[in-house]
Amino acid sequence: MKKHSIVIAGGGSTFTPGIVLMLLDNLEQLPIRQIKFYDNDAERQKEIADACEIIIQEKAPDIKFVSTTDPKTAFTDIDFVMAHIRVGKYAMREKDEKIPLKYGVVGQETCGPGGIAYGMRSIGGVLEILDYMEQYSPNAWMLNYSNPAAIVAEATRKLRPNSKILNICDMPIGIEERMARSIGLSSRKEMVVRYYGLNHFGWWTDIRDKEGNDLMPKIKAHVKENGYALPEELAAAKENEASQHADASWMHTFTKAKDVYALDPETLPNTYLKYYLFPSDEVAHSNPEYTRANEVMAGREKHVFGECRRIAEQGSTKDTTLEIDEHASYIVDLARAIAYNTHERMLLIVENKGAIVNFDDTAMVEVPCIVGANGPEPLVQGEIPRFQKGMMEQQVAVEKLVVEAWEEKSYQKLWQAITMSKIVPNATVAKQILDDLLEANKEFWPELR
Ligand code: NAD
Ligand code: G6P
Ligand code: MN
């Protein structure tokens, strides 16, 4: 089998070590000859790279490892770019979350004004990486999971229509894993699903086992009572112990899916819909002084960087608490689908072109696709009901307006986008939030007219 050369863009990401461990655990499925890290923050990347070099040396010394901030070095001789950049890093995520909250509006990484602000930063960063790939390795594919994926995907559709980029999200995978476990299956891979929506904005309509038996009734019965929380997590919560599976904010999200489900018991919802359907509940239990960014900095970032420093100092991974990011193995499935034409069925963010029959053909939608050597083939999901269609039309307009605002450097369109967001009450509040975000993002957004 051909051995692949991979660059991880956003080498300094908190997810990088878990993904490297996952890649090394999957070498039989996806052989690798070279792993490169690319980041525009040399210092941050070095901390991760010094540890990953030792990890690779221990587990697969034949793999060549390169860590660089030079685009030419990074993107030359590459088969896949795995991209998870965060333009502005956690310092800006914190502002995306806290600025809207000042006005009583949901502050979230990818939803509402926070997601819009992040989108305005991310578009340029992702396009730049795509351009490097095309310049130095024109046959490569970019597997992108940099957020906000909905806005980034619309930008690449519109501004780089012929590029080999696949946009994917891990939330449906995480939820499907929970669904599977809630009904006693060993893996989500025992399920075949139908799903439609936008990224972080979608619904399952059909879930079957490999024999075609309908699993929806059993999963619905669980979700109706527990959302996507699992029995052992509910027990831990009762005992008031921190669950080993998730931070408190994620436990809230999984539990809240119960209320989201109640609104349309015909389907099973993506967890992110809670921000659009129950925004005031969300604001009520948010702490405007301590948001998810703070939780991540104190938790995942501290742990990952601490462990990396320890590995680098001791020169080995002995006793490390870094874990294989098992659920990131979807990235290997995606790379394999391209490399070996596996025709794996996966949820991807792709141009609609009729997959959702009664919806904008040019919208970037999240639907099941068959993925092969020439990319994704979306599967038709048919017509969708008025409730979902109405919500999606509003949200896709927001996403398209943001991309237009970025392209045209238009203050007006950005104001319209924020106003249009379902979680923003009116144009006055939208303008106040926009003006604060604008001030905070001077260094990152195009200068608006
Ligand atoms: P992080 O801040 O730890 O890492 C991001 C890295 O990107 C940093 O090292 C930063 O220096 C680098 N970076 C920023 N701008 C860059 C640029 N223009 N060029 C190169 N490198 C750049 O963030 P994280 O929490 O580990 O998340 C990384 C990304 O992955 C985020 O966008 C996050 O939203 C995304 N993510 C997506 C999914 C999904 O389902 N799609 C799942 C998990 C994480
Ligand atoms: C899920 C979503 C990602 C998002 C992440 C946030 O995995 O699919 O798009 O980036 O959650 O997680 P965090 O732990 O950084 O809040
Ligand atoms: Mn996601």
Side-chain angles (χ1 to χ4, degrees):
M1 266 203 287
K2 176 186 169 182
K3 291 192 173 187
H4 296 89
S5 172
I6 291 168
V7 59
I8 298 183
S13 156
T14 55
F15 293 107
T16 298
I19 287 179
V20 167
L21 286 166
M22 183 279 298
L23 290 173
L24 298 179
D25 200 47
N26 280 277
L27 288 174
E28 275 174 32
Q29 287 74 38
L30 187 75
I32 297 174
R33 64 179 164 86
Q34 173 165 254
I35 296 178
K36 302 198 221 185
F37 285 6
Y38 169 76
D39 204 291
N40 64 0
D41 180 338
E43 242 173 272
R44 185 178 174 91
Q45 173 163 266
K46 186 175 187 306
E47 298 208 44
I48 304 286
D50 287 351
C52 288
E53 186 166 19
I54 292 166
I55 295 174
I56 293 169
Q57 187 60 36
E58 282 182 9
K59 294 197 192 288
D62 292 344
I63 295 179
K64 185 172 174 213
F65 178 69
V66 176
S67 171
T68 180
T69 55
D70 173 47
K72 186 172 180 204
T73 310
F75 292 91
T76 301
D77 180 29
I78 284 299
D79 300 300
F80 292 107
V81 178
M82 300 182 173
H84 53 207
I85 63 167
R86 182 187 291 287
V87 179
K89 294 174 273 193
Y90 292 127
M92 290 309 297
R93 176 176 182 174
E94 187 178 4
K95 292 187 179 164
D96 293 344
E97 293 168 351
K98 289 185 178 174
I99 289 171
L101 274 176
K102 250 175 51 186
Y103 299 93
V105 170
V106 171
Q108 213 279 326
E109 177 193 30
T110 63
C111 304
I116 292 171
Y118 186 13
M120 290 289 287
R121 295 196 301 276
S122 237
I123 294 172
V126 170
L127 292 181
E128 184 179 72
I129 286 172
L130 192 52
D131 291 346
Y132 289 145
M133 177 182 92
E134 295 187 337
Q135 182 179 355
Y136 298 115
S137 289
N139 296 321
W141 281 84
M142 177 160 161
L143 315 181
N144 181 56
Y145 32 100
S146 312
N147 269 318
I151 290 170
V152 166
E154 167 62 12
T156 57
R157 178 196 73 83
K158 194 161 180 222
L159 305 172
R160 298 292 184 279
N162 301 314
S163 291
K164 291 201 278 185
I165 176 170
L166 295 172
N167 291 292
I168 189 161
C169 170
D170 68 354
M171 194 73 251
I173 290 160
I175 296 171
E176 284 173 20
E177 204 57 58
R178 286 173 172 273
M179 290 173 172
R181 285 172 53 193
S182 76
I183 59 168
L185 300 179
S186 63
S187 151
R188 69 183 166 87
K189 292 198 172 178
E190 292 180 41
M191 311 189 314
V192 179
V193 311
R194 292 173 67 87
Y195 179 97
Y196 67 81
L198 311 170
N199 178 237
H200 290 183
F201 205 99
W203 294 265
W204 283 266
T205 56
D206 194 79
I207 304 176
R208 285 170 197 270
D209 65 17
K210 289 278 164 71
E211 283 73 52
N213 298 307
D214 187 1
L215 302 175
M216 284 290 265
K218 268 178 96 176
I219 300 172
K220 283 180 179 176
H222 178 85
V223 175
K224 187 170 184 240
E225 296 301 321
N226 312 301
Y228 296 119
L230 296 170
E232 64 268 27
E233 293 168 333
L234 294 163
K238 228 182 216 158
E239 295 294 316
N240 228 349
E241 300 164 13
S243 159
Q244 66 184 98
H245 298 285
D247 287 335
S249 55
W250 273 109
M251 275 320 298
H252 176 273
T253 296
F254 292 129
T255 310
K256 188 73 183 171
K258 168 182 168 170
D259 295 350
V260 181
Y261 167 73
L263 210 58
D264 178 25
E266 295 297 307
T267 58
L268 284 162
N270 192 301
T271 44
Y272 277 89
L273 289 162
K274 74 166 184 175
Y275 296 111
Y276 301 93
L277 296 170
F278 299 96
S280 44
D281 293 2
E282 200 51 36
V283 172
H285 81 86
S286 296
N287 178 353
E289 305 297 325
Y290 194 86
T291 58
R292 178 65 188 158
N294 301 108
E295 201 174 69
V296 171
M297 286 186 272
R300 185 172 67 238
E301 185 180 39
K302 199 163 165 231
H303 171 243
V304 168
F305 279 79
E307 274 298 286
C308 284
R309 255 171 250 136
R310 208 170 62 78
I311 289 171
E313 273 162 27
Q314 70 183 21
S316 91
T317 62
K318 191 171 174 297
D319 300 329
T320 185
T321 54
L322 288 179
E323 285 175 1
I324 302 178
D325 190 349
E326 294 281 7
H327 95 290
S329 62
Y330 72 88
I331 299 167
V332 165
D333 295 334
L334 186 57
R336 276 174 50 80
I338 299 283
Y340 308 124
N341 201 29
T342 62
H343 291 144
E344 174 108 359
R345 182 175 168 134
M346 304 184 80
L347 293 189
L348 293 180
I349 307 159
V350 292
E351 188 164 10
N352 185 29
K353 287 183 182 158
I356 301 171
V357 174
N358 53 343
F359 196 64
D360 185 342
D361 274 341
T362 71
M364 290 303 278
V365 297
E366 200 164 85
V367 290
C369 298
I370 300 295
V371 191
N374 59 351
E377 243 182 279
L379 297 171
V380 175
Q381 300 302 298
E383 295 203 351
I384 61 174
R386 193 176 309 283
F387 174 63
Q388 280 86 355
K389 184 168 181 274
M391 283 186 64
M392 281 169 60
E393 270 165 0
Q394 181 180 32
Q395 179 61 18
V396 87
V398 172
E399 291 161 6
K400 284 182 177 286
L401 278 168
V402 174
V403 174
E404 289 173 16
W406 185 87
E407 197 186 354
E408 299 163 23
K409 305 182 174 27
S410 167
Y411 178 97
Q412 203 71 38
K413 286 199 168 170
L414 202 56
W415 183 19
Q416 290 173 356
I418 297 178
T419 304
M420 176 95 67
S421 175
K422 187 166 167 55
I423 67 180
V424 175
N426 59 55
T428 306
V429 173
K431 192 164 195 307
Q432 289 167 330
I433 295 175
L434 171 54
D435 288 340
D436 279 14
L437 287 171
L438 187 65
E439 183 60 32
N441 280 279
K442 274 204 172 121
E443 205 192 308
F444 301 101
W445 289 4
E447 198 175 332
L448 304 182
R449 319 185 247 270

